[in-house]
Amino acid sequence: MNIDHFISEAVSRSVEALYGPLGEEQLQIQKTRKEFDGDYTLVVFPLLRRSRKSPEATAAEIGEHLTAHMPEVKSFNVIKGFLNLALSDGFWADRFAEIAADGAFGQAPATGRNVMIEYSSPNTNKPLHLGHIRNNLLGYSVAQILRAVGHNVIKVNLVNDRGIHICKSMLAWKRYGGGETPASSGMKGDHLVGKYYVEFDKHYKVQVKELTASGMSEEEAKKRAPLMLEAQEMLRRWEARDPEVYGLWEMMNGWVYDGFDVTYKALGVDFDKVYYESQTYLLGKDIVQKGLDMGIFYRREDGSVWIDLTADGLDQKLLLRGDGTSVYMTQDLGTAYRRFEENDLDDMIYVVGN
């Protein structure tokens, strides 16, 4: 059964029974918004010329007629000029029975599509949190469903293992850690590194407060705080492959990965491939340079590189900082290019946010 068609026909019959045959009017029926009770919603404003009643009275009249003559509609509610219809449990049970009886329901064609699904996507400066649990379970479930109906599915994780936020944790551990390790503290590695990310923020806020007390604007103080300047210098040293900084980065990220693995095992999720942004940001930088050469991107006075997407209804987007270090978008470009280069993908699904 086509449910949308069924609802449209049912509502049409009730409207015509109450107000006469429909002419050129188009019934406006849509899925009920999630903040309201119901499954389908009829917009009654276009019908007021026929009913000669208020929006609320018109909606209530149609709702009462539907529930009296259509056992599939168990209840209704009216929100101003919107009639929200709730379908019965029996109606939905019948639909599930139809699906169960259809052995080919949802099956992919003989040659299934190549689908890559990215989920989890953590940063290595803090532990996995509730949002990661949601995305892990959603992504893994979607992958299992698509694989079950015959598609070739590649489950991937993208680890944001580089950048200024990582350097903040590294710098704080170097300054305030006293050599603490997961073994010496008894903490999971991702929790320990997250502890020092918080420690950085605590000391950074003190420095910003001191600078603003001396007369500096808050915006300027956030840029000029010694800890922030030192973290930015650490990022530049990391991109230059400074042995000391790079070794610290490898050690602390190793702690985090051990912690992540414990969580993934507990959740029962896994990945076919893990991408690391530290391995794609240079490719992203090459793409940004190519875009500059082609005149697609532009450089501002501070040396940063941007793209203007206002003609597409978006905004202007930073692609590369003025000091030459990369941002999320830089490595996103490189990662996307690498994925399609390595895999003959028909679909790329990102599980992000709610």
Side-chain angles (χ1 to χ4, degrees):
M1 175 191 289
N2 184 313
I3 299 175
D4 291 355
H5 181 72
F6 173 81
I7 295 298
S8 180
E9 288 290 308
V11 173
S12 294
R13 288 195 296 270
S14 284
V15 169
E16 291 186 344
L18 291 167
Y19 311 124
L22 285 167
E24 296 181 356
E25 300 101 326
Q26 293 290 320
L27 292 177
Q28 296 182 26
I29 302 173
Q30 59 204 26
K31 298 280 177 65
T32 302
R33 289 167 57 179
K34 62 183 179 181
E35 60 264 36
F36 300 115
D37 291 330
D39 299 302
Y40 283 84
T41 297
L42 169 68
V43 182
V44 301
F45 295 109
L47 302 173
L48 300 185
R49 284 190 303 170
R50 287 173 165 275
S51 70
R52 299 185 182 280
K53 296 177 182 177
S54 70
E56 291 82 358
T58 302
E61 192 169 47
I62 297 171
E64 287 165 1
H65 191 276
L66 276 165
T67 52
H69 295 85
M70 293 290 300
E72 294 88 350
V73 179
K74 69 176 181 181
S75 64
F76 71 91
N77 65 84
V78 177
I79 307 292
K80 297 183 178 178
F82 299 90
L83 170 62
N84 301 320
L85 303 171
L87 301 176
S88 70
D89 294 343
F91 174 86
W92 291 117
D94 289 344
R95 303 292 74 73
F96 282 121
E98 287 177 4
I99 291 170
D102 182 356
F105 183 86
Q107 289 293 326
T111 54
R113 297 174 70 80
N114 290 327
V115 184
M116 179 172 283
I117 302 180
E118 177 196 307
Y119 55 94
S120 199
S121 311
N123 294 347
T124 56
N125 64 310
K126 54 190 175 184
L128 299 174
H129 53 66
L130 188 61
H132 288 111
I133 294 177
R134 172 197 59 212
N135 289 4
N136 280 315
L137 299 181
L138 280 174
Y140 188 79
S141 298
V142 169
Q144 295 295 86
I145 291 168
L146 291 176
R147 185 168 284 168
V149 298
H151 295 291
N152 176 43
V153 177
I154 308 164
K155 298 174 293 183
V156 300
N157 189 0
L158 173 62
V159 180
N160 182 27
D161 63 338
R162 60 154 309 281
I164 190 67
H165 52 290
I166 311 294
C167 290
K168 290 176 181 178
S169 295
M170 291 161 55
L171 179 59
W173 181 86
K174 187 178 175 183
R175 276 176 166 256
Y176 316 115
E180 185 178 30
T181 67
S184 69
S185 65
M187 294 178 68
K188 273 179 82 220
D190 51 334
H191 286 263
L192 180 65
V193 173
K195 167 186 169 182
Y196 285 99
Y197 185 70
V198 173
E199 193 72 16
F200 175 94
D201 192 56
K202 183 176 73 176
H203 290 273
Y204 171 60
K205 285 178 178 177
V206 170
Q207 290 185 352
V208 170
K209 190 174 182 180
E210 289 172 350
L211 290 172
T212 54
S214 68
M216 192 179 290
S217 70
E218 184 176 1
E219 184 180 358
E220 187 67 15
K222 287 180 177 179
K223 295 177 182 177
R224 300 288 298 275
L227 268 177
M228 181 59 72
L229 294 176
E230 197 172 344
Q232 290 169 345
E233 175 60 22
M234 181 175 273
L235 178 58
R236 285 188 286 271
R237 289 174 62 194
W238 182 90
E239 293 205 2
R241 286 295 187 105
D242 177 282
E244 180 189 353
V245 173
Y246 212 80
L248 176 61
W249 171 78
E250 289 181 317
M251 179 181 72
M252 293 183 69
N253 271 0
W255 296 345
V256 173
Y257 298 145
D258 289 342
F260 285 173
D261 287 345
V262 171
T263 304
Y264 290 139
K265 186 175 181 181
L267 285 174
V269 303
D270 58 18
F271 309 94
D272 300 309
K273 185 174 180 61
V274 179
Y275 287 89
Y276 298 91
E277 293 191 347
S278 60
Q279 297 172 359
T280 59
Y281 83 100
L282 289 176
L283 175 57
K285 284 181 140 183
D286 290 342
I287 293 171
V288 171
Q289 184 58 53
K290 185 177 180 181
L292 268 175
D293 296 340
M294 296 172 66
I296 297 170
F297 308 147
Y298 69 94
R299 195 183 293 278
R300 291 188 178 177
E301 290 182 1
D302 64 356
S304 59
V305 180
W306 296 70
I307 183 169
D308 186 353
L309 297 171
T310 51
D312 299 293
L314 301 170
D315 56 4
Q316 297 185 49
K317 188 70 181 175
L318 173 67
L319 301 176
L320 200 65
R321 293 190 187 93
D323 63 3
T325 57
S326 62
V327 294
Y328 281 120
M329 187 59 72
T330 321
Q331 51 249 25
D332 281 347
L333 289 168
T335 303
Y337 185 91
R338 178 66 50 77
R339 284 172 170 171
F340 280 87
E341 183 182 49
E342 294 177 350
N343 307 277
D344 182 21
L345 297 180
D346 296 303
D347 297 293
M348 174 71 225
I349 298 173
Y350 297 90
V351 181
V352 290
N354 56 8

